[in-house]
Amino acid sequence: QVQLVESGGGLVQAGGSLKLSCAASGVIFSITSMAWYRQAPGKQREFVAVILRGGTTNVADSVKSRFTISRDNAKNTVYLQMNSLKPEDTGVYYCKSMAGATKNDYWGQGTQVTVSS
């Protein structure tokens, strides 16, 4: 069974930082691309960042200057470092695994991030 477990969310003031973690099991992590998405109340889930199995990253323009995605293959974990947080960053942050075009993607349960003004 593939399982992704996010952690590290919480309540922070605007301008603060959080580091989210997503621990994966049931996957060959080193050949699996990982991504972060987020969903604000009443809005669609949106892409935040992705890190490919080789380490190449892409980050959404809305957070590009503030968020960094990374991975530790030895720990089967992907991270999202979030700096200079804004209230509009508030939402549930989800981890996604992508093992290939012929394989299913999987989602974690999400972790809540709330940024107060």
Side-chain angles (χ1 to χ4, degrees):
Q1 288 282 334
V2 175
Q3 187 172 15
L4 307 175
V5 180
E6 301 97 332
S7 61
L11 174 63
V12 297
Q13 288 187 281
S17 297
L18 284 173
K19 188 173 185 178
L20 307 183
S21 299
C22 172
S25 60
V27 301
I28 306 174
F29 189 80
S30 63
I31 61 170
T32 301
S33 297
M34 304 293 297
W36 287 97
Y37 287 71
R38 67 186 183 186
Q39 188 167 23
K43 301 191 70 176
Q44 292 193 77
R45 193 169 299 185
E46 67 174 351
F47 167 79
V48 176
V50 62
I51 183 164
L52 305 184
R53 64 183 187 179
T56 301
T57 64
N58 278 296
V59 183
D61 288 343
S62 60
V63 302
K64 194 175 187 70
S65 64
R66 301 180 294 117
F67 290 11
T68 303
I69 188 170
S70 62
R71 66 192 294 155
D72 186 340
N73 288 348
K75 296 180 179 179
N76 284 13
T77 300
V78 63
Y79 304 96
L80 185 68
Q81 177 67 53
M82 306 187 294
N83 299 324
S84 302
L85 283 162
K86 304 174 180 180
E88 51 262 47
D89 295 320
T90 293
V92 179
Y93 283 69
Y94 297 92
C95 180
K96 182 176 77 169
S97 66
M98 298 164 287
T102 64
K103 303 239 193 314
N104 290 331
D105 296 342
Y106 294 91
W107 295 88
Q109 82 290 342
T111 185
Q112 176 70 228
V113 172
T114 303
V115 184
S116 62
S117 60

